[in-house]
Amino acid sequence: TMVNDARRQCLPTEDVERVIAACPDTEWRLLIALSRFGGLRCPSETLKLRWSDVDWERNRITVRSKKTAKQGKPHRQIPIFAKLRPYLEGARDAAESDAKYVITRYRDANVNLRTQLLRIIERAGVQLWPKLFHNLRASRETELAAEHPIHVVCAWIGNSAQIAAKHYLQVTDADFEKARRATTHET
């Protein structure tokens, strides 16, 4: 797979929250939050997510993945991250009592999530970014890698350290600021 660094973009939480605020409903807000704050692949992992996969007591979500199943890892567990929790709770409160899947309205194969997301981003007044869903997920992996060991991050995101380095991890302004502060303190 070819890598095009020009198409990588780390998306600030503030911009994503503006996009989420422009969403037409609870499920759209959750779709974006699952990608940006949970690191799920969209649509393959987000649309497979069932309410039975959400363990509120243990604060975990089981993510089922056809992509990683090929490597003998049909599922992984992620924490219910603090930024993800309110969107997940909102969807739970809005869901029908007998709902099997977390996302129900956008499961039809004819639904074009990318086109819809483009409209939502435009409505939010946020600058469009390349690789819409991938960069949401990559931004989350980049944040997590700054806080946790890479083996933990890769277990949560569902990729390897090599794939993370090649396709996901990005250098951010926060990295430069941290280096500037460290350099300032050295002198």
Side-chain angles (χ1 to χ4, degrees):
T1 305
M2 295 187 44
V3 176
N4 183 349
D5 286 339
R7 293 179 47 97
R8 285 187 188 196
Q9 187 170 341
C10 198
L11 307 172
T13 299
E14 302 78 32
D15 286 355
V16 175
E17 287 174 341
R18 285 177 50 202
V19 172
I20 289 173
C23 286
D25 60 39
T26 302
E27 286 194 11
W28 250 111
R29 287 187 284 279
L30 183 57
L31 273 170
I32 295 170
L34 285 167
S35 293
R36 178 59 178 83
F37 304 131
L40 274 66
R41 292 175 179 93
C42 187
S44 64
E45 294 175 348
T46 55
L47 295 184
K48 281 187 179 181
L49 191 62
R50 300 172 187 208
W51 286 114
S52 60
D53 296 329
V54 181
D55 185 341
W56 297 100
E57 290 178 19
R58 294 181 63 214
N59 199 48
R60 295 180 186 184
I61 299 171
T62 299
V63 179
R64 299 177 194 291
S65 177
K66 189 175 184 178
K67 185 171 187 170
T68 59
K70 296 173 189 172
Q71 290 88 37
K73 299 175 186 176
H75 58 81
R76 66 183 186 278
Q77 288 195 332
I78 67 167
I80 300 176
F81 297 103
K83 284 277 191 188
L84 176 57
R85 181 173 281 280
Y87 301 106
L88 198 56
E89 288 174 343
R92 179 193 59 194
D93 294 345
E96 298 289 329
S97 60
D98 63 343
K100 179 178 179 180
Y101 290 98
V102 173
I103 304 297
T104 58
R105 295 187 66 199
Y106 304 104
R107 301 185 58 73
D108 188 324
N110 294 326
V111 173
N112 187 328
L113 296 175
R114 185 182 186 288
T115 300
Q116 235 352 47
L117 182 53
L118 286 169
R119 290 184 191 127
I120 294 167
I121 293 168
E122 183 179 328
R123 189 176 325 131
V126 172
Q127 184 175 347
L128 185 63
W129 61 84
K131 298 169 67 175
L132 296 178
F133 288 106
H134 177 87
N135 276 324
L136 287 167
R137 182 172 143 77
S139 297
R140 184 58 177 152
E141 186 161 16
T142 298
E143 285 174 351
L144 290 171
E147 298 176 21
H148 302 281
I150 194 67
H151 72 282
V152 172
V153 174
C154 290
W156 288 341
I157 297 295
N159 59 20
S160 67
Q162 295 83 2
I163 294 298
K166 186 174 181 180
H167 297 285
Y168 288 83
L169 299 177
Q170 302 168 52
V171 177
T172 66
D173 289 341
D175 295 320
F176 282 96
E177 180 58 26
K178 184 178 177 181
R180 184 196 62 77
R181 286 192 312 268
T183 303
T184 303
H185 292 104
E186 288 175 5
T187 55

